[in-house]
């Protein structure tokens, strides 16, 4: 039987108990450091750093704990957690794990743990590929299985709470209403699942083999598709790719990642594990060869987008990912040229080297050493000052909320600009409470400029400034395509959508309904129906007396309505 299906170590029931305690305590600490009620205003950098450190240390301990060399794990886990926490604190970004730098840190940790597991098993700094491959895939399977088990435990806990609540026993329901109690359950459940599954290593390894085998059978589909795509480019040209620069790079990089995963699923952890089917082997080779051209096209697309719209942290991170993809592509292509169908042994050797390089690079990228925020800020401000991008097209929200401290410093400088429009927009962005508020300000300014050029009837009527602002804020006029008709000068007006009066109606897909009536009230213009004047006290007494004796009559009332070309439009007006 394949040695990969054998348990690496005898069962250890106490491990589950240890991991339950570690998981519960770590989850509670993280929850207390990142209180949900603080989410709307963000956490302090030190709290986020401590939570990151505790979480990483607990996970590294759980995945790394074995019966051999326990002291190694007890030293490695806190050291890795301390390193992760210090990097997060250095970044100074609350909620940093949800950023690109946080993703780099997660990637580095995910690579470091299986490398440590192998070194722990070997008792020295030795990294046999079969063991690294086995631990890496097993950790992925464990991660998914543990979260699945945790989800079931949480659902079961709340179901039992509701069950007992039906008979008036609310203790469990009340207890689960606290965030800290849910954190305890999640941490303990994850630790229990990890400990129990680690004691069933043979089953997990078998599941890992099933997952990789299933993924391997997808290799021919993706391999043929990517080769056909690349062969089609000389005939279709690249222009269509550049027309879709927003999605070109993400789609291509997703294909690159998929190609790498499926190719490695086929070649396995060693010669005995490699797929024997010629179709699968050729498919893996095709996937490896396709990585480089796809990465190069993605790099060109990213370069074009940066040339058009300048640098942003997201684009620089995307460019970094593309650079790694090109590096992978070069290595895989070189191995394919040298080894052809025997390239798998070369790739397995190079995968270890690439993994070590990626881990180091991930740790460096998780820090603010490269300063993507500062680079992006300088580039965008230079584009603004040179006139390459106008003030009304400039992304003020990104400068205020996406570029960190460099963006805030640049915004403070732009508020003192000699250009009045730049200074005003920078001041508005600096005072905004969120990025969406900046976007709303710019949209409202554009709408007011569009509304200022609306057609107003009767011709020559002046559009009041407060009505113009009200119409712009209401978003009734798409790109200013409206006509304003005053029923009573400076007191009553209706707004009509021009698209409703074309043949066929250009706005037929919308509800072209009735014109919108605006009235001037004491506090300015507003949409609504003017109500009839309320009678005074004497009139009310007279009305009620007549009602009692049945004195009622019908009178003809003259009302007003808009006519366009003799055709009535909308309701009547008082």
């Amino acid at each position: 039987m394949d040695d990969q299906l054998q348990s690496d170590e005898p069962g250890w029931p106490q491990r589950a108990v240890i991991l339950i305690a570690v998981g519960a305590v770590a989850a509670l600490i993280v929850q207390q450091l990142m209180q949900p009620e603080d989410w709307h205003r963000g956490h302090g950098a030190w709290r986020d750093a401590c939570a990151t450190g505790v979480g990483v240390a607990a996970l590294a301990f759980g995945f790394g704990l074995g019966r051999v060399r326990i002291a190694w794990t007890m030293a490695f886990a806190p050291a890795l957690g301390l390193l992760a926490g210090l990097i997060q604190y250095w970044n100074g970004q609350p909620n940093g794990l949800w950023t690109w730098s946080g993703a780099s840190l997660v990637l580095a940790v995910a690579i470091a743990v299986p490398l440590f597991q192998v070194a722990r098993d070997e008792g020295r700094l030795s990294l046999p590929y079969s063991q690294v491959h086995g631990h890496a895939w097993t950790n992925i399977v464990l991660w998914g299985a543990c979260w699945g088990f945790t989800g079931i435990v949480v659902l079961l806990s709340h179901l039992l709470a509701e069950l007992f609540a039906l008979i008036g026993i609310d203790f469990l329901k009340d207890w689960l209403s606290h965030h800290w109690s849910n954190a305890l359950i999640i941490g303990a459940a994850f630790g229990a699942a990890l400990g129990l599954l680690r004691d069933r290593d043979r089953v997990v390894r078998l599941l890992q083999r099933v997952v990789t085998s299933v993924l391997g059978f997808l290799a021919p589909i993706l391999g043929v598709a990517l080769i056909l795509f690349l062969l089609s480019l000389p005939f279709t040209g690249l222009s269509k790719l550049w027309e879709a620069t927003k999605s070109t790079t993400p789609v291509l990089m997703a294909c690159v990642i998929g190609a790498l995963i499926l190719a490695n699923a086929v070649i396995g952890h060693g010669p005995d594990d490699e797929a024997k089917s010629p179709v699968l082997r050729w498919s893996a080779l095709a996937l490896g060869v396709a990585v480089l051209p796809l990465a190069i096209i993605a790099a060109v697309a990213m370069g074009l987008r940066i040339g058009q719209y300048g640098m942003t942290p997201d684009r620089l991170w995307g460019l970094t990912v593309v650079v790694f993809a090109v590096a992978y592509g070069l290595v895989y292509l070189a191995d394919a040229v040298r080894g052809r169908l025997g390239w798998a042994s070369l790739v397995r050797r190079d995968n270890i080297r690439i993994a070590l390089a990626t881990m180091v690079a991930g740790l460096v990228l998780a820090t603010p050493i490269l300063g993507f925020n500062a680079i992006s800020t300088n580039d965008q401000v230079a584009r603004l000052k040179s006139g390459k991008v106008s003030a009304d097209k400039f992304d003020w929200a990104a400068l205020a909320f996406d570029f960190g401290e460099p963006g805030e410093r640049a915004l403070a400088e732009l508020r003192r600009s000699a250009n009045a429009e730049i200074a005003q927009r920078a001041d508005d962005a600096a005072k905004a409470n969120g990025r969406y508020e900046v976007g709303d300000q710019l949209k409202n300014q554009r709408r007011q400029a569009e509304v200022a050029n609306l057609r107003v009837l009767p011709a020559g009527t002046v559009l009041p400034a407060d009505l113009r602002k009200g119409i712009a804020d209401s978003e009734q006029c798409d790109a200013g395509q409206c006509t304003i008709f005053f029923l009573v000068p400076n007191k009553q007006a209706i707004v009509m959508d021009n698209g409703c009066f074309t043949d066929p109606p250009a706005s037929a897909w919308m509800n072209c309904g009735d014109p919108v009536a605006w009235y001037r009230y004491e506090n300015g213009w507003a949409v609504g129906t003017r109500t009839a004047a309320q009678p005074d006290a004497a009139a009310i007494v007279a009305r009620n007396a007549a009602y009692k004796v049945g004195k009622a009559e019908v009178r003809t009332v003259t009302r007003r309505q808009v006519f366009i070309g003799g055709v009535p439009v909308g309701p009547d007006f008082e």
Side-chain angles (χ1 to χ4, degrees):
M1 183 175 291
D2 193 323
D3 62 350
Q4 287 301 308
L5 298 182
Q6 300 293 337
S7 178
D8 289 340
E9 57 186 48
W12 186 16
Q14 293 81 3
R15 173 164 49 192
V17 177
I18 295 172
L19 294 186
I20 288 173
V22 171
V25 173
L28 181 61
I29 293 174
V30 171
Q31 185 274 329
Q32 290 296 307
L33 288 169
M34 304 177 72
Q35 292 281 353
E37 55 266 26
D38 293 336
W39 288 356
H40 68 281
R41 61 176 181 270
H43 318 295
W46 71 269
R47 294 172 64 187
D48 195 65
C50 290
T52 299
V54 170
V56 168
L59 289 171
F61 182 81
F63 281 91
L65 182 62
R67 298 196 70 169
V68 297
R69 302 177 184 88
I70 298 176
W72 285 32
T73 304
M74 295 182 68
F76 169 76
L80 188 61
L82 178 62
L83 178 61
L86 290 175
I87 289 175
Q88 281 297 92
Y89 186 76
W90 188 5
N91 274 317
Q93 297 177 356
N95 305 322
L97 285 180
W98 306 110
T99 64
W100 278 100
S101 58
S104 297
L105 179 59
V106 170
L107 176 63
V109 169
I111 295 174
V113 171
L115 295 179
F116 165 77
Q117 289 172 303
V118 175
R120 178 209 62 194
D121 294 341
E122 295 292 312
R124 56 195 176 92
L125 190 59
S126 176
L127 302 174
Y129 183 78
S130 62
Q131 296 299 320
V132 174
H133 181 276
H135 277 298
W137 277 100
T138 299
N139 288 350
I140 293 172
V141 172
L142 282 172
W143 178 261
C146 288
W147 279 118
F149 177 81
T150 301
I152 293 173
V153 170
V154 171
L155 290 175
L156 182 61
S157 301
H158 285 272
L159 176 62
L160 293 177
E162 293 295 336
L163 177 65
F164 281 99
L166 293 177
I167 56 175
I169 301 177
D170 296 325
F171 169 76
L172 185 56
K173 187 174 181 179
D174 293 339
W175 186 68
L176 288 176
S177 65
H178 302 288
H179 293 296
W180 61 266
S181 60
N182 285 273
L184 280 175
I185 291 176
I186 291 172
F190 191 93
L194 187 56
L196 293 172
L197 289 172
R198 291 286 305 280
D199 275 344
R200 289 153 180 81
D201 192 58
R202 182 175 180 275
V203 175
V204 176
R205 294 276 182 151
L206 177 60
L207 181 58
Q208 173 245 307
R209 288 287 301 277
V210 172
V211 171
T212 54
S213 296
V214 171
L215 289 176
F217 279 105
L218 298 176
I221 299 175
L222 184 60
V224 171
L226 293 183
I227 295 299
L228 289 176
F229 171 79
L230 293 173
L231 292 176
S232 301
L233 291 180
F235 302 98
T236 62
L238 299 176
S239 58
K240 293 186 180 297
L241 292 175
W242 312 147
E243 292 171 2
T245 51
K246 283 189 176 181
S247 59
T248 297
T249 300
V251 170
L252 291 175
M253 293 313 302
C255 290
V256 167
I257 294 172
L260 293 173
I261 292 175
L262 296 185
N264 281 279
V266 172
I267 67 175
H269 61 74
D272 295 337
D273 190 45
E274 187 177 352
K276 302 302 185 289
S277 168
V279 174
L280 293 179
R281 295 178 67 187
W282 279 107
S283 299
L285 182 61
L287 289 171
V289 171
V291 169
L292 182 59
L294 291 173
I296 291 175
I297 296 172
V300 174
M302 179 61 71
L304 289 174
R305 187 149 184 82
I306 289 176
Q308 287 177 318
Y309 302 104
M311 297 180 185
T312 65
D314 283 348
R315 289 178 195 136
L316 290 176
W317 278 106
L319 184 61
T320 302
V321 174
V322 169
V323 170
F324 273 94
V326 171
Y328 268 95
L330 287 171
V331 172
Y332 276 48
L333 181 61
D335 289 341
V337 171
R338 288 185 297 165
R340 292 184 291 278
L341 277 182
W343 76 310
S345 60
L346 300 175
V347 169
R348 284 191 285 266
R349 179 198 64 191
D350 289 333
N351 274 344
I352 294 292
R353 299 173 180 174
I354 296 174
L356 290 170
T358 303
M359 181 184 68
V360 174
L363 290 174
V364 173
L365 290 170
T367 69
I369 290 177
L370 296 182
F372 283 172
N373 285 344
I375 295 172
S376 301
T377 299
N378 294 335
D379 179 68
Q380 291 293 342
V381 171
R383 286 167 57 85
L384 175 65
K385 291 182 177 179
S386 67
K388 204 168 185 178
V389 58
S390 59
D392 62 322
K393 302 293 184 182
F394 187 74
D395 193 347
W396 294 100
L399 190 66
F401 296 99
D402 297 344
F403 291 4
E405 292 185 5
E408 295 173 2
R409 290 195 298 268
L411 199 63
E413 179 185 345
L414 291 174
R415 294 175 72 180
R416 301 188 296 271
S417 173
N419 185 309
E421 183 180 7
I422 290 178
Q424 181 60 52
R425 292 185 183 275
D427 187 63
D428 291 341
K431 293 178 180 178
N433 294 320
R435 59 176 299 107
Y436 297 108
E437 185 175 320
V438 177
D440 291 341
Q441 290 174 349
L442 296 176
K443 288 179 182 177
N444 287 337
Q445 291 169 359
R446 294 192 188 104
R447 291 194 195 102
Q448 289 192 47
E450 292 168 350
V451 171
N453 297 319
L454 292 179
R455 182 174 64 160
V456 181
L457 299 176
T461 304
V462 178
L463 181 63
D466 51 355
L467 177 57
R468 180 175 68 246
K469 183 179 185 304
I471 295 173
D473 292 344
S474 68
E475 303 183 31
Q476 290 175 353
C477 292
D478 183 17
Q481 298 300 311
C482 290
T483 294
I484 301 177
F485 180 49
F486 278 88
L487 300 176
V488 179
N490 205 33
K491 289 186 178 180
Q492 188 179 23
I494 62 170
V495 178
M496 296 173 284
D497 184 352
N498 295 346
C500 295
F501 299 92
T502 59
D503 190 16
S507 298
W509 62 276
M510 299 176 61
N511 179 13
C512 268
D514 297 326
V516 180
W518 286 77
Y519 297 93
R520 175 178 283 283
Y521 296 97
E522 292 182 0
N523 296 326
W525 291 82
V527 176
T529 302
R530 184 181 295 277
T531 57
Q534 293 295 323
D536 56 23
I540 291 175
V541 171
R543 182 195 64 187
N544 293 345
Y547 183 81
K548 290 179 181 179
V549 298
K551 186 178 180 180
E553 60 183 310
V554 176
R555 295 182 181 181
T556 300
V557 179
T558 301
R559 302 181 69 85
R560 296 180 302 155
Q561 187 174 16
V562 176
F563 283 74
I564 298 179
V567 179
V569 176
D572 52 14
F573 298 89
E574 292 188 7

